[in-house]
Amino acid sequence: MVETGFRKWIITITVVTASLLELIDTTIVNVSIPQIQGNLGSTITDTAWVVTGYSVANVIILPMSGWLSSFFGRKNYFMTSIIVFTIASFLCGNSHSLTELVCFRILQGLAGGGLLSTAQAILLESWPPNQVGTATAIFGFGAVFGPTVGPTLGGYINDHASWQWIFYVNIPIGCLAAACTLLFVRTTPSTGKSKPIDWWGIVLLAVAVGSLQTILEKGEDEDWFSTTYITVLTVTAILGILFFIWRELSTDHPIVNFKIMRHRSFSTGMLTSFILGLGLYGSNYVFPLFTQNLLGFSAQQSGWILFPGGIFTLLTMPFVGIMLNKGVPAQFMAVAGMILFFVFSSMLGNSTLSSGTGDFFWPLAIRGVGLALLFVPLTTLAIGGLRGQEIGQGAGLNNMMRQLGGSFGIAGLNTLIHIRQAVHRNNLLVNINPYNSYFTERLNTLTQGFMAKGKSMLDATHMAYAAIDGVVQKQSILLSYIDTYWVVGIAMLCAIPLVFLAPFVKGQKAISDSH
């Protein structure tokens, strides 16, 4: 139902705040993994399940969120998700062992998966038809800004408080969002309780998507298929996906309605959302690694460097919404966003070991503008042609594809860094030979410097070789990060033709959902 005045804005603030809770928690924990590891006495590999468990649970629920909204009623499901997420946040902060923390993070992820798509559907139906672009822009700000501000907030809390406060900060916000949902969001009827539940579909979805997400999260750490359980999960994921699709197409009451794929704009939007997830989450993953591991920045410094980019996203979102409302084709703005993302990648591709904080301001500002030009038009293309109950299903699948794109991107870029680091190191080591005048000059200078400090000729020579090896190592890491920036940028350019597979629509029609 279309809302007006104060009620419209309080609903908007409520659903965007709830979405931010979920999105921030996808990245806020990452910077505190070492602190959690030390406090709970676990290994870094085991502690990583704090992130993996949340992501796996989140991705399992996302495609089911439309069906769950129909079954319980959208308001009931949304408010329950907020309450469970808030309780799980308290339990995470109060955990005394890694097992407890991982279990409560899984619960938090299950609840969080119900927030994003349901919030999007509530927001779209609360705004009038001629302001749908603006509503999408407001939601898009939360979806893009959340993963960006997560490391900033996490870094600040990590430096000024204990890791438990990463979860405790959710509690007052969650309570306020639940109260506003109870008071202002209108109740929608539950239409699914009279229909049989597709239990096989639920099981197959959990097995298929859960296995796939676990592979993407842990594959690189476990050296991919050299580990038995990764191989088993891969086979399980492939078979699970095939059986799940067959089940959903053959049953009369599916939990995921694949028939909405008949909409060409939605099918195209799924692909472009995947690419958007790769660029958004992939760059959010690589940049802090680059600045902290190579340039020596702290977690808080890396977070603050990313923050201005989020501000540029915030400033650009209203412009994008206005252009959509005026009938500017979403394809044109999406192409502009992809080009700007390539510009961002190419600028970071020129980074050096002496790059400072000021060198990243404009590249990240361009990225912020590009993300605004990407998210809103791509979301509009994906779900703009859906009607009725298809909106909830479409929003869930679209959000799942964006998150899976991020998971594929992170896994792929992580593997690329390791592979290219070895390649670049081997290429650089070719220059370490007595026939290279630059090498011999550098070696002699370092050797003489160490001898001047009282070292013997033999020790000084060994130390000089070690120093040169350190430079080679840093250069190879730098070049591998540069490769990842170029891969992300080129992937964005290659996605441009996909945008034009969707039909052109002048002026966005009303998006509503009824149960």
Side-chain angles (χ1 to χ4, degrees):
M1 179 181 292
V2 174
E3 305 288 356
T4 57
F6 172 79
R7 192 184 191 98
K8 179 182 76 172
W9 283 107
I10 197 67
I11 290 174
T12 299
I13 294 171
T14 299
V15 297
V16 171
T17 300
S19 299
L20 276 172
L21 276 178
E22 194 276 331
L23 289 161
I24 288 175
D25 267 64
T26 61
T27 56
I28 192 174
V29 177
N30 296 14
V31 297
S32 294
I33 289 296
Q35 192 179 20
I36 295 173
Q37 175 195 358
N39 188 260
L40 297 181
S42 56
T43 65
I44 191 69
T45 302
D46 291 339
T47 310
W49 281 102
V50 174
V51 177
T52 303
Y54 181 90
S55 300
V56 171
N58 203 262
V59 171
I60 289 173
I61 288 295
L62 275 172
M64 294 174 55
S65 57
W67 174 78
L68 289 168
S69 293
S70 174
F71 189 83
F72 295 106
R74 179 181 298 145
K75 175 180 178 178
N76 294 336
Y77 177 55
F78 184 64
M79 187 167 63
T80 301
S81 296
I82 295 175
I83 293 171
V84 174
F85 187 92
T86 304
I87 293 173
S89 296
F90 168 77
L91 294 173
C92 285
N94 203 45
S95 298
H96 299 291
S97 70
L98 182 64
T99 302
E100 287 183 22
L101 180 57
V102 171
C103 289
F104 294 138
R105 277 287 283 176
I106 292 173
L107 177 63
Q108 193 183 41
L110 292 173
L115 293 177
L116 196 60
S117 301
T118 313
Q120 188 175 9
I122 292 173
L123 181 65
L124 289 173
E125 74 172 2
S126 299
W127 282 65
N130 62 338
Q131 296 178 356
V132 165
T134 303
T136 307
I138 292 173
F139 181 82
F141 162 71
V144 174
F145 190 71
T148 302
V149 77
T152 307
L153 184 59
Y156 181 83
I157 294 174
N158 190 61
D159 289 350
H160 295 87
S162 65
W163 62 267
Q164 286 88 347
W165 282 98
I166 285 177
F167 303 108
Y168 289 151
V169 293
N170 294 332
I171 296 173
I173 302 173
C175 291
L176 181 61
C180 290
T181 300
L182 177 65
L183 294 174
F184 297 104
V185 175
R186 299 189 188 275
T187 302
T188 54
S190 55
T191 60
K193 290 188 176 180
S194 60
K195 302 174 183 177
I197 299 175
D198 181 19
W199 290 110
W200 277 110
I202 294 174
V203 172
L204 288 170
L205 175 64
V207 170
V209 178
S211 298
L212 178 60
Q213 183 71 9
T214 303
I215 293 165
L216 296 173
E217 293 279 341
K218 305 297 293 184
E220 174 61 26
D221 294 337
E222 302 290 351
D223 198 20
W224 295 105
F225 301 111
S226 62
T227 306
T228 303
Y229 90 87
I230 293 294
T231 304
V232 172
L233 285 179
T234 302
V235 175
T236 303
I238 294 172
L239 293 177
I241 291 170
L242 292 176
F243 280 117
F244 175 69
I245 293 174
W246 170 79
R247 171 68 185 180
E248 298 309 282
L249 292 176
S250 60
T251 185
D252 293 330
H253 305 287
I255 58 168
V256 176
N257 180 16
F258 283 113
K259 293 178 181 178
I260 63 176
M261 300 294 289
R262 71 184 184 277
H263 297 284
R264 190 175 66 176
S265 58
F266 178 73
S267 301
T268 302
M270 292 270 284
L271 293 174
T272 51
S273 290
F274 185 89
I275 301 296
L276 174 61
L278 187 152
L280 171 60
Y281 291 101
S283 57
N284 274 353
Y285 171 77
V286 170
F287 184 77
L289 289 179
F290 169 59
T291 56
Q292 293 177 50
N293 295 349
L294 199 59
L295 302 184
F297 294 0
S298 67
Q300 187 173 347
Q301 281 180 307
S302 297
W304 280 115
I305 294 171
L306 285 166
F307 190 76
I311 300 299
F312 275 87
T313 301
L314 172 62
L315 296 175
T316 309
M317 284 290 187
F319 165 78
V320 177
I322 292 170
M323 291 298 101
L324 281 175
N325 290 337
K326 288 185 176 181
V328 175
Q331 285 89 337
F332 293 163
M333 286 187 284
V335 169
M338 289 174 176
I339 292 173
L340 286 178
F341 212 99
F342 175 77
V343 172
F344 149 77
S345 298
S346 63
M347 292 175 74
L348 284 191
N350 293 317
S351 300
T352 68
L353 292 173
S354 59
S355 295
T357 56
D359 297 312
F360 301 119
F361 178 84
W362 285 113
L364 292 172
I366 291 172
R367 172 184 177 271
V369 175
L371 286 174
L373 290 170
L374 278 169
F375 184 90
V376 181
L378 293 182
T379 302
T380 302
L381 285 175
I383 65 176
L386 303 182
R387 295 294 179 267
Q389 296 184 15
E390 290 182 338
I391 290 180
Q393 290 275 357
L397 285 172
N398 191 55
N399 287 322
M400 182 196 72
M401 285 300 290
R402 186 173 63 250
Q403 188 149 329
L404 280 178
S407 298
F408 270 94
I410 291 171
L413 293 176
N414 207 16
T415 302
L416 179 67
I417 289 172
H418 289 167
I419 293 174
R420 294 299 295 171
Q421 183 179 336
V423 171
H424 288 305
R425 179 176 172 81
N426 289 335
N427 291 338
L428 291 172
L429 286 176
V430 172
N431 299 307
I432 308 299
N433 64 79
Y435 305 103
N436 187 327
S437 59
Y438 294 102
F439 163 70
T440 54
E441 181 180 350
R442 180 63 174 165
L443 179 66
N444 292 333
T445 301
L446 289 171
T447 302
Q448 292 172 8
F450 288 125
M451 290 177 65
K453 295 180 180 179
K455 302 295 181 182
S456 67
M457 177 68 176
L458 182 60
D459 289 342
T461 303
H462 285 316
M463 294 173 69
Y465 271 106
I468 292 175
D469 184 69
V471 173
V472 170
Q473 185 71 6
K474 280 192 172 184
Q475 287 288 347
S476 62
I477 296 173
L478 172 66
L479 292 172
S480 67
Y481 281 123
I482 287 174
D483 289 342
T484 63
Y485 294 134
W486 281 109
V487 166
V488 170
I490 292 172
M492 282 292 179
L493 288 184
C494 291
I496 289 177
L498 295 175
V499 175
F500 293 100
L501 294 177
F504 280 82
V505 179
K506 284 198 68 177
Q508 181 64 49
K509 295 182 179 180
I511 297 178
S512 60
D513 192 9
S514 58
H515 293 295

